[in-house]
Amino acid sequence: MDKSYNHKEVEERIYKLWEDTGYFNPDNLPDAKKRKPFCIIMPPTNANGNLHAGHALVITIEDIMTRYKRMKGFKSLWLPGLDHAGFETQVVYERKLEKEGRSRFKMSPEDLYREILEFTNSNKSNIKSQTRKMGASCDWSRENFTLDENIIKTVYETFKKLYEAKLIYRGKKIINWCPKHQTSLSDLETKDEERTEKLYYLKYGPFTIATARPETKFGDKYVVMHPKDKRYKDYKEGQKIQLEWITGPIIATVIKDEAIDMEFGTGAMTITPWHDPVDFEIAERHNLEKDQIIDFRGRLLSIAGEFSGMKILEARPKIIEKLQAKGLVKKIEENYKHTVKTCYKCNSLIEPQIKKQWFLKMKPLAKPAIKAIEQDKIKFIPKHYKKIILHWLKNIIDWPLSRQIVWGIPIPVWYKGEEVFIGENPPEELGWVREEDTFDTWFSSGQWPFATLKSKEGDFKKFYPTDVMETAGEIIFFWVARMIMLGIYATKKIPFKTVYLHGLVLDAKGQKMSKSKGNVINPLDITDKYGTDALRIGLVMGNTPGTSLSSDENKIRGFRNFSTKIWNASRFVLMNLEDYKKVKMTAKDKKKVADFKKKAKEITKLMDDYKFYRAAEKIYGYFWHTFCDKIIEESKKDLAGENRASAQNMLLEILSGSMKILHPFMPFITEEIYQALPLKNKKKSLIIEDWPK
RNA sequence: GGGCGGUUAGCUCAGCUGGUUAGAGCGCCGCAUUUACACUGCGGAGGCCGAGGGUUCGAGUCCUUCACCGCCCACCA
C-alpha cells in the first residue's frame, strides 16, 4: 500500500471496477433469483446545471441505503433519472437568453425548444459524470429521462384514463398568471410576500369601498355585502343603483354574499372577478358577468378608457388623481399591510386571470391517499410529515395542469370547434387544431415510480411498489403527495412503503446557501480537495432526517483526517500480515472480536431504523477510538511475541468487518483496502460482501 | 388566523420507549516528537439541558403555561 491515500487515483479506478463487475444492475448479482427485491427510485435530477450540495446529500443517503441492502442480500435496485424540469429549466434558460440580450418572445417555439433541448443534453452528461464521482451505485442501464418516449407514453395513458373518468376537465377558471414568464402557475408555484401599500377608501354611490388596487376597479359593477349586515338592510339583492364611477356613470347591482367580512372596512366591497380569486368565486355563485381589465402582459385594456395601454403600476397614481378630482376618494390609509402573491422564480406580482385550462380534480384522488396515510401504509421519516401531508391533502384544490411554456410534455389534445380529441395523433379528417400548452412538469414526475419501472420488461412486476422514496422535505406537496395520489390511481398500489425526507444543507452559520451570499459549497470542489468519502460521511454524520444540516469545509476536513486514519490503520495491519495464517484466537482476542460484533449488531439496528447519522457516528467512534487507539496499540506487544498469530487473526477480522460497515458511507477507501486484504473466499468486490451478522 | 419544528459545552448538533458522574465533531488549554498515522497520541478545561409550574422514588427525556427563533399553510377587499 502507498504511504498515503490518494483519493483521486483510487476513486476513478474503483468506480470503474464496480461498473465492470456489473453489480449495480441487480440482475447481475450473485444468486439474483433468490434475492428479495429492494428498490429506490432516484428523484430525477434537474438537468439544468451542476450538482449542488442538496444533490450530494440525496446521492449519499440513497447510496447508503442501496449499498446496505445489497450487502444484506437484497436484489438492490437504485434507478437513476434525469428531469427536463419544465418551468425550472425554462426559467434558467430564459435568464441565459436575457444575458445574451435575447428573448424567448422573439423566437419561434420550435427554435426555443431545440435550444433548450441542446442545453439540457449537454447538462445531462455533466450531471451523470458528477453523480458517478459521488460514488452512486445506481443502475445506469435503467436510466430514464422524463422526456423519454416510454415515459411520455405512460403519462398520456394516465391522462386519457383520468379524462375518461371525468377527473380531468377543461375549465375557464381563474389562475395565477406570471406576467414576466407568460404562463399560469399552480398555487405551489407562487409565494406570499408581505407588502405595505396604501389602502384607498372610495365613494361608490351611497357606499364606501376599500381597495389596494384601484387600477382593477374600472369594470366593477357589483357591490357586495353580507346578507346579515344591518347597515345595509335597506338594500335588496339585485337592486340597481346609478352612480358616478371612474370613467363615467354606471349602473351597479347589489349582491349579498356570506363571504364578506363585516368587520373589514365598511363591510361593502365591489368585485373584480377576472382578477381576484375571491371575487371570481362570488361571481360564479351569483352567475355574474366577468370583464377582463388587464391583459396578459400587465397593461390596462380599453375598458380603462384614457388609461388603456398603461402598465398597472404606472396607472395607479394617475387613476387616484382623477378619482380625487372627481371627489370620489374619501380617505387614504398609508401603511396598509397585506400579502400579495408573487412568482416563486422571478418575484413578479402574480396577476390572476381567467383562462381556459386543463384541470385535474383532486378530491377523489386525495381520498384513497388520505386513507392510506391514516392507516400508516406509508411510513414517514421523520414522522411529523404525516400530519403535514394529511392537512394539505384534506384541503386540496383542483390542480391546473396547463403551462404556456414550450419546454415540457405537450398536452395530447386536439380541438375542432367544440369537439375534443384525446391522443397524440388526431383523426384523419382535416381541421383539427393541436393544444399548444404543455403539462406542469410535476404531472409527469408524479408518475415517476411506475413510469420508470414500466420502461423495462418485468421491472414493474418485480420492484413495484418500491421500498423507499427519499427526497427533500421541501417538495412533499409538489412531488410526494402527487406521486401517492397518481400512483394509487394508475396502479391501485401505493408507490412506496417509506418516505424519507431530508432537510436543507446550510452553511456553517446555519444560513441557506445561495450564490448571492457566496456561501455555496460546490460538492465537486470538496470531493476534489478532500475525497468523496470525506464529503459523504460529512453529509450524513450529525444529519437528522428532516432537519437542516450545517456544513462547512472545516467539518469535511475532519472527515478527510478520518480517511487518513483508516488508511494508516489498515496499512499497519497489512504490514503485520506477511506471515498470516488462520489460527484459533486467544480468549483475550476473541473477546475483542465479540465486542466488535456487538457493536456491529447495534449499528445494524440503527441502519434498519434509518438512523444513518447515528450508525455513522458509532462506527466512526469505534474505529478511531477503540480499534486504532486501544486495540491496535495493545496488539503491538502481542505481534512481537508468542501471540502474534492470534493478534493477526483478530486484527484482520475486525478490520475487514469495519470495512464492511463503513462501506455504505465511505465506499471508495473501504473497497480499496478490502482489495488488499488476505481474506479467504474473497468476493470480486466489497459491494457484494455480506453485512456482518 | 391555523399548524409544525427548534431552544443542550465557544460553534454545529446527538441524546431511542424517563434510570447510575449529560455525549460527539470542530474549536480552546497543557504535555508528547525518529511512532501505522502530526491529516497524530495522551491528558484537560468547558453545560442550574430557554423560563415557570406539575406528574414520578427518579425528567434534557412525560404533561402544562410562557418567552424567543425558524418554517409551512390560509381568499380578508
Coordinates of all heavy atoms in Angstrom, one line a residue, chain A residues 210 261 264 269 278 336 544 550 554 560-561 564-565 568-569 571-572 613 624-625 628 633 636, chain B residues 4-5 12-16 24-26 35-37 39-42 72-77:
Chain A
A210 N -63.2 49.9 0.1 CA -61.8 50.0 0.3 C -61.1 49.1 -0.7 O -61.5 48.0 -1.1 CB -61.4 49.6 1.7
D261 N -66.6 39.9 4.9 CA -66.3 40.1 6.3 C -66.8 41.4 6.7 O -66.4 42.4 6.3 CB -64.7 40.0 6.4 CG -64.3 40.2 7.8 OD1 -65.2 40.4 8.7 OD2 -63.1 40.1 8.1
F264 N -64.4 44.1 8.1 CA -63.4 44.7 7.3 C -63.9 46.0 6.7 O -65.0 46.0 6.0 CB -62.9 43.8 6.2 CG -61.6 44.4 5.5 CD1 -60.4 44.1 6.0 CD2 -61.8 45.2 4.4 CE1 -59.3 44.6 5.4 CE2 -60.7 45.7 3.8 CZ -59.4 45.5 4.2
M269 N -68.1 45.8 -0.5 CA -67.0 45.9 -1.5 C -67.5 45.6 -2.9 O -68.6 45.1 -3.1 CB -65.9 44.8 -1.1 CG -66.3 43.4 -1.4 SD -64.8 42.4 -1.2 CE -65.3 40.9 -2.1
V278 N -61.2 35.5 -4.9 CA -62.4 35.5 -4.1 C -63.6 36.1 -4.8 O -64.7 35.6 -4.8 CB -62.1 36.4 -2.8 CG1 -63.4 36.5 -1.9 CG2 -60.9 35.9 -2.1
Y336 N -50.9 50.3 5.0 CA -51.7 49.1 5.0 C -50.9 47.9 4.6 O -50.3 47.8 3.6 CB -52.9 49.3 4.0 CG -53.7 48.1 3.8 CD1 -54.4 47.6 4.8 CD2 -53.8 47.4 2.6 CE1 -55.2 46.4 4.7 CE2 -54.5 46.3 2.4 CZ -55.3 45.8 3.5 OH -56.0 44.7 3.3
T544 N -29.8 14.7 11.1 CA -31.1 14.0 11.4 C -32.0 14.3 10.3 O -32.1 15.3 9.7 CB -31.7 14.7 12.7 OG1 -30.6 15.2 13.5 CG2 -32.5 13.8 13.4
S550 N -25.9 21.9 9.0 CA -24.9 22.9 8.7 C -23.7 22.2 8.3 O -23.3 21.3 8.9 CB -24.7 23.8 10.0 OG -25.8 24.5 10.3
N554 N -14.5 23.0 7.1 CA -13.8 22.6 8.3 C -14.2 21.2 8.7 O -13.4 20.4 9.1 CB -14.1 23.6 9.4 CG -12.9 24.0 10.2 OD1 -11.8 23.7 9.8 ND2 -13.1 24.5 11.4
R560 N -11.8 14.0 6.3 CA -10.6 13.6 5.5 C -9.6 13.0 6.4 O -9.0 12.0 6.1 CB -10.1 14.8 4.7 CG -9.0 14.6 3.7 CD -7.6 14.6 4.3 NE -7.4 15.6 5.3 CZ -6.9 16.8 5.0 NH1 -6.5 17.1 3.8 NH2 -6.7 17.7 6.0
N561 N -9.4 13.6 7.6 CA -8.5 13.1 8.5 C -8.9 11.6 8.9 O -8.0 10.8 9.2 CB -8.4 13.9 9.8 CG -7.9 15.3 9.5 OD1 -7.5 15.6 8.3 ND2 -7.9 16.2 10.4
T564 N -7.7 9.3 6.3 CA -6.3 9.1 6.5 C -6.0 8.1 7.7 O -5.2 7.2 7.6 CB -5.6 10.4 6.9 OG1 -5.9 11.3 5.9 CG2 -4.1 10.2 6.9
K565 N -6.8 8.2 8.7 CA -6.7 7.3 9.8 C -7.0 5.9 9.4 O -6.3 4.9 9.7 CB -7.7 7.7 10.9 CG -7.5 7.1 12.3 CD -6.3 7.7 12.9 CE -6.0 6.9 14.2 NZ -4.7 7.4 14.8
N568 N -4.1 4.5 7.4 CA -2.9 4.2 8.1 C -3.1 3.0 9.0 O -2.2 2.2 9.2 CB -2.5 5.4 8.9 CG -1.8 6.4 8.1 OD1 -0.9 6.1 7.3 ND2 -2.2 7.7 8.2
A569 N -4.3 2.9 9.6 CA -4.5 1.7 10.5 C -4.5 0.4 9.6 O -3.9 -0.6 10.0 CB -5.9 1.8 11.1
R571 N -2.9 0.1 6.8 CA -1.5 -0.1 6.4 C -0.8 -0.9 7.5 O 0.0 -1.8 7.3 CB -0.9 1.2 6.2 CG 0.1 1.2 5.0 CD 0.2 2.6 4.4 NE 0.5 3.6 5.4 CZ 1.8 3.9 5.8 NH1 2.8 3.2 5.3 NH2 2.0 4.8 6.7
F572 N -1.0 -0.4 8.8 CA -0.3 -1.1 9.9 C -0.7 -2.6 10.0 O 0.2 -3.4 10.1 CB -0.7 -0.4 11.2 CG -0.2 -1.1 12.4 CD1 1.2 -0.9 12.8 CD2 -1.0 -2.0 13.1 CE1 1.6 -1.6 13.9 CE2 -0.5 -2.7 14.2 CZ 0.8 -2.5 14.6
Y613 N -27.3 8.7 10.6 CA -26.4 9.7 11.3 C -25.8 9.0 12.6 O -24.7 9.3 12.9 CB -27.2 10.9 11.6 CG -28.4 10.7 12.5 CD1 -28.4 11.1 13.8 CD2 -29.6 10.2 12.0 CE1 -29.6 10.9 14.6 CE2 -30.7 10.0 12.7 CZ -30.7 10.3 14.1 OH -31.8 10.1 14.8
W624 N -12.0 4.6 15.3 CA -10.9 5.5 15.7 C -10.5 5.3 17.1 O -9.3 5.0 17.4 CB -11.3 7.0 15.5 CG -10.2 8.0 15.4 CD1 -9.1 8.0 16.3 CD2 -10.0 9.1 14.6 NE1 -8.3 9.0 15.9 CE2 -8.8 9.7 14.9 CE3 -10.8 9.6 13.5 CZ2 -8.3 10.8 14.2 CZ3 -10.3 10.7 12.9 CH2 -9.1 11.3 13.2
H625 N -11.4 5.3 18.0 CA -11.1 5.4 19.4 C -11.0 4.0 20.1 O -10.4 3.9 21.2 CB -12.0 6.4 20.2 CG -11.9 7.8 19.6 ND1 -10.7 8.5 19.6 CD2 -12.8 8.5 18.9 CE1 -10.9 9.6 18.9 NE2 -12.2 9.7 18.5
C628 N -8.3 1.8 16.7 CA -7.0 2.4 16.5 C -6.3 2.7 17.8 O -5.2 2.3 18.0 CB -7.1 3.6 15.7 SG -7.7 3.4 14.0
E633 N -3.0 -0.5 19.4 CA -1.9 -0.2 20.4 C -1.5 -1.4 21.2 O -0.4 -1.7 21.4 CB -2.2 1.0 21.2 CG -2.2 2.4 20.5 CD -0.9 2.6 19.7 OE1 0.2 2.4 20.2 OE2 -1.1 3.0 18.5
K636 N 0.4 -4.3 19.6 CA 1.8 -4.2 19.2 C 2.7 -5.2 20.0 O 3.6 -5.8 19.5 CB 2.3 -2.8 19.4 CG 1.7 -1.9 18.2 CD 2.1 -0.4 18.4 CE 1.5 0.3 17.2 NZ 1.6 1.8 17.4
Chain B
rC4 P -49.5 21.3 15.7 OP1 -49.9 19.9 16.2 OP2 -49.5 22.4 16.6 O5' -48.1 21.2 14.9 C5' -47.9 20.2 13.9 C4' -46.6 20.4 13.2 O4' -46.6 21.8 12.6 C3' -45.4 20.5 14.1 O3' -44.9 19.2 14.5 C2' -44.4 21.2 13.2 O2' -43.9 20.4 12.2 C1' -45.3 22.3 12.6 N1 -45.3 23.6 13.3 C2 -44.2 24.4 13.1 O2 -43.3 24.1 12.4 N3 -44.1 25.6 13.8 C4 -45.1 25.9 14.7 N4 -45.0 27.1 15.3 C5 -46.2 25.1 14.9 C6 -46.2 23.9 14.2
rG5 P -44.2 19.1 15.9 OP1 -44.0 17.6 16.1 OP2 -44.9 19.9 16.9 O5' -42.8 19.8 15.7 C5' -41.8 19.1 14.9 C4' -40.7 20.0 14.5 O4' -41.2 21.2 14.0 C3' -39.8 20.5 15.7 O3' -38.9 19.5 16.1 C2' -39.1 21.7 15.0 O2' -38.1 21.3 14.1 C1' -40.3 22.3 14.3 N9 -40.9 23.3 15.1 C8 -42.2 23.3 15.7 N7 -42.5 24.4 16.3 C5 -41.4 25.2 16.2 C6 -41.1 26.5 16.7 O6 -41.8 27.2 17.4 N1 -39.9 27.0 16.3 C2 -39.0 26.2 15.5 N2 -37.8 26.8 15.2 N3 -39.2 25.0 15.0 C4 -40.4 24.6 15.4
rU12 P -24.2 27.8 16.2 OP1 -24.9 28.6 15.3 OP2 -24.6 27.6 17.6 O5' -23.9 26.4 15.6 C5' -23.6 26.3 14.2 C4' -23.5 24.8 13.8 O4' -22.4 24.2 14.5 C3' -24.7 23.9 14.2 O3' -25.8 24.0 13.4 C2' -24.0 22.5 14.2 O2' -23.9 22.0 12.9 C1' -22.6 22.8 14.8 N1 -22.5 22.6 16.2 C2 -22.3 21.3 16.6 O2 -22.1 20.4 15.8 N3 -22.2 21.1 18.0 C4 -22.4 22.1 19.0 O4 -22.3 21.8 20.1 C5 -22.7 23.4 18.5 C6 -22.8 23.6 17.1
rC13 P -27.3 23.7 13.9 OP1 -28.0 23.2 12.8 OP2 -27.7 24.9 14.7 O5' -27.0 22.5 15.0 C5' -27.9 21.4 15.0 C4' -27.1 20.2 15.2 O4' -25.9 20.4 15.9 C3' -27.8 19.1 16.0 O3' -28.8 18.4 15.2 C2' -26.7 18.2 16.4 O2' -26.3 17.4 15.4 C1' -25.6 19.2 16.7 N1 -25.4 19.6 18.1 C2 -24.9 18.7 19.0 O2 -24.5 17.6 18.6 N3 -24.7 19.1 20.3 C4 -25.1 20.3 20.7 N4 -24.9 20.6 22.0 C5 -25.7 21.2 19.8 C6 -25.8 20.9 18.5
rA14 P -30.0 17.6 16.0 OP1 -31.0 17.4 14.9 OP2 -30.4 18.3 17.2 O5' -29.3 16.2 16.2 C5' -29.1 15.8 17.6 C4' -28.4 14.5 17.6 O4' -27.0 14.8 18.0 C3' -29.0 13.5 18.5 O3' -29.9 12.7 17.9 C2' -27.7 12.7 19.0 O2' -27.3 11.8 18.0 C1' -26.7 13.8 19.1 N9 -26.8 14.6 20.3 C8 -27.1 15.9 20.6 N7 -27.0 16.2 21.9 C5 -26.6 15.1 22.5 C6 -26.3 14.8 23.8 N6 -26.4 15.7 24.8 N1 -25.9 13.5 24.1 C2 -25.8 12.6 23.2 N3 -26.0 12.8 21.9 C4 -26.4 14.0 21.6
rG15 P -31.4 12.5 18.5 OP1 -32.0 11.4 17.7 OP2 -32.0 13.8 18.6 O5' -31.1 12.0 20.0 C5' -30.6 10.7 20.2 C4' -30.2 10.6 21.7 O4' -29.1 11.6 22.0 C3' -31.3 11.0 22.7 O3' -32.2 9.9 22.9 C2' -30.5 11.2 23.9 O2' -29.9 10.1 24.5 C1' -29.3 12.1 23.3 N9 -29.7 13.5 23.3 C8 -30.1 14.2 22.2 N7 -30.4 15.5 22.5 C5 -30.1 15.6 23.9 C6 -30.2 16.6 24.8 O6 -30.6 17.8 24.6 N1 -29.8 16.3 26.1 C2 -29.4 15.0 26.5 N2 -29.1 14.9 27.7 N3 -29.3 14.0 25.6 C4 -29.7 14.3 24.4
rC16 P -33.7 10.2 23.3 OP1 -34.1 11.5 22.6 OP2 -33.8 10.1 24.8 O5' -34.6 9.0 22.7 C5' -35.2 9.1 21.5 C4' -35.5 7.8 20.9 O4' -34.3 7.0 20.7 C3' -36.4 6.9 21.9 O3' -37.8 7.1 21.6 C2' -36.0 5.5 21.6 O2' -36.7 4.9 20.5 C1' -34.5 5.7 21.2 N1 -33.5 5.4 22.2 C2 -32.6 4.4 22.1 O2 -32.6 3.8 21.0 N3 -31.7 4.1 23.0 C4 -31.7 4.8 24.2 N4 -30.8 4.5 25.1 C5 -32.6 5.9 24.4 C6 -33.5 6.2 23.4
rA24 P -17.6 12.9 24.3 OP1 -16.4 12.1 24.5 OP2 -17.6 14.3 24.9 O5' -17.9 13.0 22.8 C5' -18.1 11.8 22.0 C4' -18.4 12.1 20.6 O4' -19.8 12.7 20.6 C3' -17.6 13.2 20.0 O3' -16.4 12.5 19.5 C2' -18.5 13.7 18.9 O2' -18.5 12.8 17.8 C1' -19.8 13.7 19.6 N9 -20.1 15.0 20.2 C8 -20.0 15.3 21.6 N7 -20.3 16.6 21.8 C5 -20.7 17.1 20.6 C6 -21.2 18.4 20.3 N6 -21.4 19.4 21.1 N1 -21.5 18.6 19.0 C2 -21.3 17.6 18.1 N3 -20.8 16.3 18.3 C4 -20.6 16.2 19.6
rG25 P -15.1 13.3 19.3 OP1 -14.0 12.4 19.0 OP2 -14.9 14.2 20.5 O5' -15.4 14.3 18.1 C5' -15.4 13.7 16.8 C4' -15.8 14.8 15.8 O4' -17.2 15.3 16.1 C3' -15.0 16.0 15.9 O3' -13.8 15.9 15.1 C2' -15.9 17.1 15.3 O2' -16.0 17.0 13.9 C1' -17.2 16.7 15.9 N9 -17.5 17.3 17.2 C8 -17.3 16.8 18.4 N7 -17.6 17.7 19.4 C5 -18.0 18.8 18.7 C6 -18.5 20.1 19.2 O6 -18.6 20.4 20.4 N1 -18.8 20.9 18.2 C2 -18.7 20.6 16.9 N2 -19.1 21.6 16.0 N3 -18.3 19.5 16.4 C4 -18.0 18.6 17.4
rC26 P -12.5 16.5 15.6 OP1 -11.4 16.1 14.7 OP2 -12.3 16.3 17.1 O5' -12.7 18.1 15.4 C5' -12.8 18.6 14.0 C4' -13.4 20.0 14.1 O4' -14.7 20.0 14.7 C3' -12.5 21.0 14.9 O3' -11.4 21.5 14.2 C2' -13.6 22.1 15.2 O2' -13.8 22.9 14.0 C1' -14.8 21.2 15.4 N1 -15.0 21.0 16.9 C2 -15.5 22.0 17.7 O2 -15.8 23.1 17.2 N3 -15.6 21.8 19.0 C4 -15.3 20.6 19.5 N4 -15.4 20.5 20.9 C5 -14.8 19.6 18.8 C6 -14.6 19.8 17.4
rU35 P 10.3 5.3 15.6 OP1 10.7 5.0 17.0 OP2 11.0 4.7 14.4 O5' 8.7 4.9 15.3 C5' 8.1 3.9 16.1 C4' 6.7 4.3 16.3 O4' 6.6 5.6 16.9 C3' 5.8 4.4 15.1 O3' 4.8 3.4 15.2 C2' 5.3 5.8 15.0 O2' 3.9 5.8 14.7 C1' 5.5 6.3 16.4 N1 5.9 7.7 16.5 C2 4.9 8.6 17.1 O2 3.9 8.2 17.5 N3 5.3 9.9 17.2 C4 6.5 10.4 16.7 O4 6.7 11.6 16.9 C5 7.4 9.5 16.1 C6 7.1 8.2 16.0
rA36 P 4.8 2.1 14.4 OP1 3.9 1.1 15.0 OP2 6.2 1.7 14.0 O5' 4.0 2.7 13.1 C5' 4.2 2.2 11.8 C4' 3.1 2.6 10.9 O4' 1.9 1.9 11.3 C3' 2.8 4.1 11.0 O3' 3.6 4.8 10.2 C2' 1.3 4.1 10.6 O2' 1.2 4.1 9.2 C1' 0.8 2.8 11.2 N9 0.2 2.9 12.5 C8 0.8 2.5 13.7 N7 -0.1 2.6 14.7 C5 -1.2 3.1 14.2 C6 -2.5 3.5 14.7 N6 -2.7 3.4 16.0 N1 -3.4 3.9 13.9 C2 -3.1 4.0 12.6 N3 -2.0 3.7 11.9 C4 -1.1 3.3 12.8
rC37 P 4.2 6.2 10.7 OP1 5.1 6.7 9.6 OP2 4.7 6.0 12.1 O5' 3.0 7.2 10.8 C5' 2.4 7.6 9.5 C4' 1.0 8.1 9.8 O4' 0.2 7.2 10.5 C3' 0.9 9.3 10.7 O3' 1.2 10.5 10.0 C2' -0.6 9.3 11.1 O2' -1.4 9.9 10.1 C1' -0.8 7.8 11.2 N1 -0.8 7.3 12.6 C2 -2.0 7.4 13.4 O2 -3.0 7.9 12.9 N3 -2.0 7.0 14.7 C4 -0.8 6.5 15.2 N4 -0.9 6.1 16.4 C5 0.4 6.4 14.4 C6 0.4 6.8 13.2
rC39 P -0.4 17.5 9.4 OP1 0.3 16.8 8.4 OP2 -0.6 18.9 9.4 O5' -1.8 16.7 9.7 C5' -2.9 17.3 10.3 C4' -4.0 16.3 10.2 O4' -4.4 16.2 8.8 C3' -3.5 14.9 10.6 O3' -3.9 14.5 11.9 C2' -3.7 14.0 9.4 O2' -4.4 12.9 9.7 C1' -4.4 14.9 8.3 N1 -3.7 14.9 7.0 C2 -4.5 14.3 6.0 O2 -5.5 13.7 6.2 N3 -3.9 14.3 4.7 C4 -2.8 14.9 4.5 N4 -2.3 14.9 3.2 C5 -2.0 15.5 5.5 C6 -2.5 15.5 6.7
rU40 P -5.0 14.4 12.8 OP1 -6.1 14.0 12.0 OP2 -5.0 15.6 13.6 O5' -4.5 13.2 13.7 C5' -4.0 12.0 13.1 C4' -3.0 11.4 14.0 O4' -1.8 12.2 14.0 C3' -3.3 11.4 15.5 O3' -4.2 10.3 15.8 C2' -2.0 11.1 16.1 O2' -1.5 9.8 15.9 C1' -1.1 12.1 15.3 N1 -0.9 13.4 15.9 C2 -0.1 13.5 17.0 O2 0.5 12.6 17.4 N3 0.0 14.8 17.5 C4 -0.6 15.9 17.0 O4 -0.4 17.0 17.6 C5 -1.5 15.7 15.9 C6 -1.6 14.5 15.4
rG41 P -5.2 10.5 17.0 OP1 -6.2 9.4 16.9 OP2 -5.7 11.9 17.2 O5' -4.3 10.2 18.3 C5' -3.7 8.9 18.4 C4' -2.7 8.8 19.5 O4' -1.7 9.8 19.3 C3' -3.3 9.3 20.9 O3' -4.0 8.2 21.5 C2' -2.0 9.7 21.6 O2' -1.4 8.5 22.1 C1' -1.3 10.4 20.5 N9 -1.5 11.8 20.5 C8 -2.2 12.5 19.5 N7 -2.2 13.8 19.7 C5 -1.4 14.0 20.9 C6 -1.1 15.1 21.6 O6 -1.4 16.3 21.3 N1 -0.3 14.8 22.7 C2 0.1 13.6 23.1 N2 0.9 13.5 24.1 N3 -0.2 12.5 22.4 C4 -1.0 12.7 21.3
rC42 P -5.3 8.6 22.4 OP1 -5.9 7.3 22.7 OP2 -6.1 9.7 21.9 O5' -4.5 9.1 23.7 C5' -3.7 8.3 24.5 C4' -3.1 9.1 25.6 O4' -2.2 10.1 25.0 C3' -4.0 9.9 26.5 O3' -4.7 9.2 27.5 C2' -3.1 10.9 27.1 O2' -2.3 10.4 28.1 C1' -2.2 11.2 25.9 N1 -2.7 12.4 25.0 C2 -2.4 13.7 25.5 O2 -1.7 13.8 26.5 N3 -2.8 14.7 24.8 C4 -3.6 14.5 23.7 N4 -4.0 15.6 23.0 C5 -3.9 13.2 23.2 C6 -3.4 12.2 23.9
rC72 P -41.3 28.5 4.2 OP1 -40.8 28.4 2.8 OP2 -41.6 29.9 4.7 O5' -42.6 27.6 4.4 C5' -42.6 26.3 4.0 C4' -43.9 25.6 4.5 O4' -43.9 25.7 5.9 C3' -45.2 26.2 4.0 O3' -45.5 25.8 2.7 C2' -46.1 25.6 5.1 O2' -46.4 24.3 4.9 C1' -45.3 25.7 6.3 N1 -45.5 27.0 7.1 C2 -46.7 27.1 7.9 O2 -47.5 26.1 7.9 N3 -46.9 28.2 8.6 C4 -46.1 29.2 8.5 N4 -46.3 30.3 9.2 C5 -44.9 29.2 7.7 C6 -44.6 28.1 7.0
rC73 P -46.4 26.7 1.8 OP1 -46.4 26.1 0.5 OP2 -45.9 28.1 2.0 O5' -47.8 26.6 2.4 C5' -48.5 25.4 2.3 C4' -49.8 25.5 3.2 O4' -49.4 25.8 4.6 C3' -50.8 26.6 2.9 O3' -51.6 26.2 1.8 C2' -51.5 26.7 4.2 O2' -52.4 25.6 4.4 C1' -50.4 26.6 5.2 N1 -49.9 27.9 5.6 C2 -50.6 28.6 6.6 O2 -51.7 28.2 7.0 N3 -50.1 29.8 7.0 C4 -49.0 30.3 6.5 N4 -48.6 31.5 6.9 C5 -48.2 29.5 5.5 C6 -48.7 28.4 5.1
rA74 P -52.0 27.4 0.8 OP1 -52.6 26.7 -0.4 OP2 -50.8 28.3 0.6 O5' -53.1 28.2 1.6 C5' -54.1 27.5 2.3 C4' -55.0 28.5 3.0 O4' -54.4 28.9 4.3 C3' -55.2 29.9 2.3 O3' -56.2 29.8 1.3 C2' -55.7 30.7 3.5 O2' -57.0 30.5 3.8 C1' -54.7 30.2 4.6 N9 -53.5 31.0 4.7 C8 -52.3 30.8 4.0 N7 -51.4 31.7 4.2 C5 -52.0 32.6 5.1 C6 -51.5 33.7 5.8 N6 -50.3 34.2 5.6 N1 -52.4 34.3 6.7 C2 -53.6 33.8 6.9 N3 -54.2 32.7 6.3 C4 -53.3 32.1 5.4
rC75 P -55.9 30.6 0.0 OP1 -57.0 30.2 -1.0 OP2 -54.5 30.5 -0.4 O5' -56.2 32.1 0.4 C5' -55.8 33.2 -0.5 C4' -56.9 34.2 -0.6 O4' -58.1 33.7 -1.1 C3' -57.3 34.7 0.8 O3' -56.5 35.8 1.2 C2' -58.8 35.2 0.6 O2' -58.8 36.5 0.0 C1' -59.3 34.2 -0.5 N1 -60.1 33.1 0.1 C2 -61.3 33.3 0.7 O2 -61.6 34.5 0.8 N3 -62.0 32.3 1.2 C4 -61.6 31.0 1.0 N4 -62.4 30.1 1.5 C5 -60.4 30.7 0.4 C6 -59.7 31.8 -0.1
rC76 P -55.9 35.8 2.7 OP1 -54.5 35.2 2.6 OP2 -56.8 35.3 3.7 O5' -55.7 37.4 2.9 C5' -56.6 38.0 3.8 C4' -57.8 38.6 3.0 O4' -58.9 38.1 3.8 C3' -57.8 40.1 2.9 O3' -57.4 40.6 1.7 C2' -59.3 40.4 3.1 O2' -60.1 40.3 2.0 C1' -59.7 39.3 4.1 N1 -59.3 39.6 5.5 C2 -60.4 39.8 6.4 O2 -61.5 39.7 6.0 N3 -60.1 40.2 7.7 C4 -58.9 40.3 8.1 N4 -58.7 40.7 9.4 C5 -57.8 40.2 7.2 C6 -58.1 39.8 5.9
rA77 P -56.4 41.9 1.7 OP1 -55.1 41.4 1.2 OP2 -56.5 42.4 3.0 O5' -57.0 42.9 0.7 C5' -58.3 43.5 0.9 C4' -59.1 43.2 -0.3 O4' -60.4 42.8 0.1 C3' -59.3 44.4 -1.2 O3' -59.1 44.1 -2.5 C2' -60.7 44.9 -0.8 O2' -61.3 45.4 -1.9 C1' -61.4 43.7 -0.3 N9 -62.2 43.9 0.8 C8 -62.4 45.1 1.6 N7 -63.3 45.0 2.5 C5 -63.8 43.7 2.4 C6 -64.8 43.1 3.1 N6 -65.5 43.6 4.1 N1 -65.1 41.8 2.8 C2 -64.4 41.3 1.7 N3 -63.4 41.8 1.0 C4 -63.2 43.1 1.4

